[in-house]
Amino acid sequence: MSKLRVKPGTRAAKPKPGLFRENLRALPCLVIVILGMVIVFYVFYLGLKGS
């Protein structure tokens, strides 16, 4: 069996400092997608209601 080596200085657990800025750039896209879904569901609701 082979032994797994774990390096003591891995950075996998720590988030990168630029990660928040990348997520901040994705927020307008997320808002547009959610708004589009709300509009589609509202139109579908109006169609079921029959008004």
Side-chain angles (χ1 to χ4, degrees):
M1 298 179 93
S2 64
K3 293 183 180 179
L4 295 174
R5 291 184 181 179
V6 178
K7 294 182 180 179
T10 57
R11 294 184 180 179
K14 295 180 181 178
K16 293 181 180 179
L19 191 62
F20 179 72
R21 285 186 181 158
E22 291 181 8
N23 289 337
L24 192 63
R25 286 189 296 183
L27 281 177
C29 182
L30 183 65
V31 168
I32 290 173
V33 168
I34 291 175
L35 188 62
M37 288 174 62
V38 167
I39 290 173
V40 167
F41 288 139
Y42 183 67
V43 168
F44 184 70
Y45 170 74
L46 289 179
L48 284 178
K49 190 176 177 183
S51 59

